[in-house]
């Protein structure tokens, strides 16, 4: 006896859908970057479009595609998170033959060795992201993203206090800052570089282990580089342009800085959505 | 002695910014709908753009604008959440005279009386949202949104079990479903209508208090109206088109259905981004 | 025809249960404090115990008890959040006649007027909580809690930098701090007082609107009152003892300070669980 | 020049603190269970107590202890998550020589192979936890916990509909359920066993990939095993007692079932806090 295929029934109404899929799938995957192989725990969302004539998208195929490519990464690690997402996106189009478009979002915790000002080694946590849209074999857009915590010291309060108290004092409010960079990638962009750019663009990077001498250095460095969220975003753009000036003009770039203001209960935020070409002009 | 105005200093780099503002401001506001005045606790995010020649956006002006309009709502309640956001958006453009664009996001818990199948009155919680973009006096785009919980029963498992076990059984997996509707509004759209459309488009609305007879009715009704997330989205579109067919063709519409699948650890999702005009064709 | 009462069936196994109930009920309630009547949006969790001989707790009764007392608050506002929770707890014991114990948790956003150093009025957001356990008529324990954001400036980095750079500099890392106070209340404790104690115990309160002169004052005040999370907790205890020294010795007290460290990606935390009597010794 | 040790200064007030530490440290660690070595990404909170005479707890020592033991796990994987936490707890006591008590909380995503009813292999996500309290060398309490998603089908609605419609129909509302088990462990408890007990105690386990025949089996199985959250907790206790009857009487046990009710917007909840000895009586 064959089971009824309700998914293929005609729908009651004639509307196509933009995105149908599954969200919140968590998987262990293996990535082989040039320097090292890492295991990531990835949160995945995957979607395809659905034409007007088809009732259901058969969501179990999405799980199968993910499972197949995740298993493959255990045997042969993917070259990057965004490459793995591109594989999933293309395989989704093959399995859902009615679909004209697929979309894959991925995000994972990620760790890098860092060295504190006094030379101590620490391992710091980050978040890396990938987003891929496929509209046919080889017709794929890939985005790579990072989320990085650091620190900002406010230039306005510093200057106000300097004026009011004489030139000596450098005190100001400072706080945790979260930078996000998302860049379109055609294979040339490494998440580690984006993380380095993020850390270089705040008032100071932050570290898990800071003994007293280190703490002094971090605090003084941050006060020597006071920045608004606006400054952080502009320094991100400067550093991205310096590193990726030779990429094609239409490569898309989104950068954000969010500051968990120490003097307010709300956050400060700045963002630029642009392209490499726009930044060069 | 006048304090230094660091915000107005020239920035080190020449990049304009797309959005600069504050996030996570929580306020009590008063809204007078035609039928009743309600107090809402609103989470607000507000932004303006920043030209290349200006270092900082002077974020304290944003707080002042919000405070001013929130206080005004205590004396004279705003006619709707999106009207209040439009006031904020326009006032932001006046206070940040360099800005060409402002943006306000708002979201709040919201409650409506409902009647269960057996006639019991309950008060149900919802979420309402507004989003406004202003690019000059009178040049304003307003969006109104709702988030509504309900229930879906799966038509595929129901049919498979019917085939396998004979025609009698209606059992299937069912689960909590979250519908989101966002519509561009030029003043004609009432959040209560969007909530009613959302509840009518799932397999069944849900209720806080269900005695045994009510529970039976809700469960049977949901099983008589089995729906995929795809079906929910299409029924949302049908109901929106029925209600808002006479709105201008370029009115934007986004609808989503997310199902907290009872048979999976992940969620199912469907979405359509469209316009009233597209839906009519 | 009467519907089957499955809840009253004997269970398959003979275990009693500690807590059975419902979580995440959101309600609008009205509270009349001596000075003013406020509307709160409250998140409620309610529980009773369940004896070994009873299969189900009939959870719909919980919703009915909540609805009844919430509606009553619309007609006649409750004198406090914890008084309303005590009403719910006692009514739960009456409706679940097999239960020997009931428990109610409540939390709500809350707003107070504040004045910045330069005299500007702002409205600041807080979180208030109540927790009530009833083991019979009149046998009730009530807890009242607050969650308050403010600021800490680190005394260690300040001193290290002072030593290294000479006596002039007061710079240090500072950050958002979240204080929690939970106190057993027999009717004598006002949430507003606990919020005032919380704000007085950090390096500085924080404000939504700070113009330049205000910002300077807040930053300088925080640097003149540098505190570890350990110091914040001890100052909380000192201030609580000063205010509530005459309360009975067995009144329970929990205080916490969590610092969203600006120089680290993790948080610092300190806590004391104690009684008024212990603090006096 | 030696830097000032502000942490060791006498505090202004004489209160001891219950817990001082750091929260939200995220680390990659390696665990060698008998069958296999896994890499986990662990969220850690660590605390010690602080005597009245000491101003600060020197939180950087906590980070150092964590780093040291995490690094050690890369060279020689720990035998279990709770064993690693016990190492950290003991090392905290050594490094903070004034402390009489240390506490470590850990939680991590975790994955196991499962087989669907029709024999398809899937990898399912879980959450494992450990909690350790040390009050001296060898004086250590260890807790091991799991959080497991599955499914419940309501026996009450099923019976009501059966009565109302005749004996044929088995339909009822069903939904995602989250089970938590926490057990004191003296080395005898394996997280995999607790996960198996959790899955066996709900109406049905759930799976990431379910083709139509599998979906039918899961739905029918759940309807053949209808359970309230109260039933889930009792079945958890029965299964725990069956497996761990020979453990000492004072071994502590906490079990919880939370149901994301499909017919309500709120959750249902049941819990038992007990010991193996109590369960045997």
């Amino acid at each position: 006896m064959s089971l009824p295929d309700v998914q293929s029934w005609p729908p009651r109404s004639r509307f196509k859908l933009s995105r149908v899929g599954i969200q919140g799938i968590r998987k262990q995957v293996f990535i082989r970057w040039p320097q090292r192989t890492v295991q990531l725990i990835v949160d995945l969302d995957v979607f395809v479009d659905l034409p007007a004539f088809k009732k259901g998208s058969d969501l179990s195929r999405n799980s199968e595609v993910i499972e197949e490519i995740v298993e493959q990464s255990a045997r042969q690690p993917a070259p990057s998170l965004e490459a793995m997402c591109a594989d999933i996106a293309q395989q989704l189009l093959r399995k859902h033959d009615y679909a004209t478009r697929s979309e894959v979002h991925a995000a994972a915790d990620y760790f890098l060795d860092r060295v504190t000002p006094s030379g101590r080694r620490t391992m710091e946590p980050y978040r890396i992201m990938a987003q891929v849209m496929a509209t046919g074999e080889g017709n794929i857009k890939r985005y790579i993203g990072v989320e990085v915590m650091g620190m900002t010291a406010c230039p306005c309060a510093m200057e106000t206090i300097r004026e009011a108290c004489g030139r000596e004092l450098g005190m100001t409010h400072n706080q945790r800052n979260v930078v996000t960079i998302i860049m379109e990638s055609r294979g040339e962009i490494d998440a580690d570089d984006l993380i380095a750019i993020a850390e270089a663009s705040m008032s100071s990077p932050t570290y898990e282990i800071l003994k007293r001498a280190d703490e002094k250095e971090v605090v003084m460095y941050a006060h020597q580089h006071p920045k608004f969220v606006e400054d952080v975003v502009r320094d991100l753009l400067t550093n991205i342009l310096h590193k990726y000036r030779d990429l094609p003009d239409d490569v898309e770039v989104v950068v954000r800085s969010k500051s968990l203001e120490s003097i307010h209960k709300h956050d400060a935020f700045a963002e630029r959505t642009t392209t490499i070409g726009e930044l060069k002009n």
Side-chain angles (χ1 to χ4, degrees), chain A:
Chain A
M1 189 200 77
S2 83
L3 295 171
D5 184 5
V6 178
Q7 311 274 357
S8 65
W9 289 2
R12 272 190 309 252
S13 64
R14 73 205 144 65
F15 301 114
K16 67 177 180 182
L17 299 183
S18 313
R19 299 199 299 173
V20 180
I22 56 177
Q23 292 186 314
I25 297 92
R26 186 162 291 177
K27 288 288 167 192
Q28 290 177 108
V29 307
F30 292 87
I31 306 290
R32 175 156 40 217
W33 277 288
Q35 326 83 315
R36 57 193 179 121
T37 295
V38 300
Q39 179 193 305
L40 300 177
I41 295 180
V42 181
D43 286 311
L44 285 161
D45 301 341
V46 307
F47 312 98
V48 295
D49 62 344
L50 188 70
F53 60 80
K54 204 162 177 310
K55 178 178 172 72
S57 175
D58 198 349
L59 299 178
S60 70
R61 284 186 202 164
N62 298 346
S63 304
E64 288 177 294
V65 166
I66 292 172
E67 187 70 19
E68 176 194 316
I69 289 174
V70 163
E71 273 187 18
Q72 194 177 299
S73 93
R75 291 188 307 271
Q76 181 174 355
S80 70
L81 185 58
E82 63 276 16
M84 199 189 67
C85 291
D87 279 355
I88 294 175
Q90 291 190 86
Q91 192 65 2
L92 286 172
L93 283 185
R94 276 177 223 123
K95 285 286 183 91
H96 298 283
D97 54 11
Y98 54 81
T100 65
R101 193 176 168 289
S102 65
E103 192 173 326
V104 177
H105 302 207
D109 288 327
Y110 181 67
F111 297 85
L112 284 177
D113 283 332
R114 287 292 182 248
V115 177
T116 69
S118 75
R120 176 184 285 270
R121 204 176 59 77
T122 74
M123 181 163 279
E124 298 295 319
Y126 306 95
R127 193 99 179 135
I128 57 170
M129 287 103 72
Q131 193 167 323
V132 170
M133 272 85 87
T135 48
E137 288 296 326
N139 203 348
I140 297 177
K141 263 198 150 169
R142 294 170 189 80
Y143 296 87
I144 174 169
V146 300
E147 198 180 277
V148 178
M149 274 192 257
M151 183 181 183
T152 50
C154 176
C156 177
M158 185 181 288
E159 194 58 29
T160 311
I161 291 171
R162 230 180 232 149
E163 290 280 327
C165 306
R167 282 282 145 192
E168 250 65 56
L169 289 154
M171 70 172 67
T172 189
H173 65 92
N174 46 74
Q175 52 264 317
R176 199 178 285 173
N177 191 281
V178 183
V179 158
T180 305
I181 305 177
I182 299 167
M183 280 190 69
E184 195 189 342
S185 175
R186 296 165 195 176
E188 331 76 345
I189 294 173
D190 183 334
D192 289 16
D193 290 332
L194 296 186
I195 290 171
I197 286 173
E199 293 193 322
S201 303
M202 291 183 270
S203 292
S204 174
T206 59
Y207 303 94
E208 190 186 296
I209 309 181
L210 292 173
K211 302 306 287 185
R212 282 204 295 280
D214 269 327
E215 190 186 21
K216 184 192 68 158
E217 293 301 320
V218 168
V219 171
M220 292 188 68
Y221 187 87
H223 283 75
Q224 288 153 5
H225 299 82
K227 297 190 187 186
F228 292 135
V229 285
E230 294 93 323
D231 295 318
V232 173
V233 167
R234 281 171 171 143
D235 289 353
L236 285 165
L237 295 172
T238 301
N239 290 328
I240 284 170
L241 190 56
H242 183 259
K243 175 89 188 171
Y244 298 112
R245 170 174 288 277
D246 296 335
L247 291 188
D249 274 6
D250 60 344
V251 163
E252 297 169 41
V253 177
V254 180
V255 295
R256 296 184 192 121
S257 167
K258 182 164 86 163
S259 166
L260 282 64
E261 294 289 285
S262 61
I263 59 166
H264 298 299
K265 298 176 184 75
H266 61 254
D267 300 332
F269 177 86
E271 182 185 67
R272 176 74 189 273
T273 303
T274 186
T275 60
I276 290 292
E278 252 195 315
L279 290 177
K280 280 196 279 192
N281 292 327

